[in-house]
Amino acid sequence: MTLIDSSRYLLERLLEVFTVILLLALTAIVVGAVAFRMLGSSIAWYDEVASIGLAWLSFYGANLAALKRAHMGFPGLVSHAPAAVRTTLFVASEVIVIGFFAVVALYGYRVLEVLAWDSLVSLPWIGLDVTQSVIPISAALFILCELLSLPMAWRKMRSGVNSEAEEIEAAIRQAEEDLEEHRA
């Protein structure tokens, strides 16, 4: 296993664990808030913290999708194009995506300097710079995820592999195996 492959694997596991923790925490907050409301009481910080938790889950989940190359694209269209067009589209899309997230990371970081003096309304001891740090951090992580998954994506693109068709075929094989196992 190469250094890139092992780094990709480690980052994938870390992002999976972190997103599951975020999902469980968000679920606990929502269930707890519903329970408190049913008992006639309300948690003052629920709305603010739940919306931040959902944003964090979305941002870090997008990083995981980027690492797995599961974000939106047109793999069927690209895989059927001539090799020169595939290469051009691939390079252009990588430059655009990485450039976009570099800008988001830069300006997301600059915004943190402005937010350093403000805090949550319901929990004034938590600064907005902490809650909004997800923007530059996840943008930088997105770039890292793109770069770590780039060699595999390049190989697939060069060979004309349609990743969507690959996933569909794998899902069909898994369903057939499950059906055979269930029948046995």
Side-chain angles (χ1 to χ4, degrees):
M1 187 180 274
T2 67
L3 178 62
I4 289 178
D5 290 337
S6 57
S7 299
R8 185 178 169 277
Y9 178 80
L10 178 63
L11 183 58
E12 185 174 343
R13 294 299 159 256
L14 288 171
L15 284 170
E16 285 173 346
V17 168
F18 191 62
T19 54
V20 167
I21 289 170
L22 284 171
L23 180 63
L24 292 174
L26 187 58
T27 302
I29 290 169
V30 170
V31 169
V34 168
F36 273 97
R37 282 194 183 148
M38 288 179 67
L39 296 172
S41 182
S42 184
I43 302 173
W45 49 265
Y46 159 73
D47 292 335
E48 209 169 15
V49 172
S51 63
I52 291 166
L54 183 59
W56 278 41
L57 182 62
S58 299
F59 277 89
Y60 290 113
N63 290 146
L64 185 57
L67 190 60
K68 294 182 177 193
R69 293 284 169 153
H71 47 71
M72 294 182 69
F74 302 99
L77 179 67
V78 173
S79 67
H80 289 91
V85 174
R86 273 197 320 261
T87 302
T88 303
L89 289 173
F90 182 85
V91 170
S93 69
E94 290 301 311
V95 168
I96 291 168
V97 168
I98 291 171
F100 172 78
F101 282 101
V103 170
V104 170
L106 174 66
Y107 286 98
Y109 180 75
R110 287 185 178 172
V111 166
L112 293 182
E113 296 170 353
V114 175
L115 297 176
W117 306 103
D118 211 353
S119 64
L120 296 180
V121 173
S122 58
L123 299 171
W125 51 273
I126 299 177
L128 283 182
D129 57 338
V130 173
T131 63
Q132 300 306 312
S133 66
V134 68
I135 296 169
I137 292 171
S138 66
L141 270 174
F142 203 100
I143 293 169
L144 179 62
C145 291
E146 285 289 307
L147 294 174
L148 287 175
S149 62
L150 190 66
M152 176 193 61
W154 178 260
R155 283 190 300 273
K156 285 184 176 183
M157 180 276 304
R158 294 296 294 164
S159 63
V161 171
N162 180 347
S163 57
E164 276 183 351
E166 243 183 7
E167 290 175 20
I168 291 170
E169 289 171 12
I172 290 171
R173 275 193 307 276
Q174 183 64 47
E176 289 172 345
E177 289 172 11
D178 291 346
L179 181 62
E180 288 299 318
E181 184 180 306
H182 179 72
R183 287 182 180 165

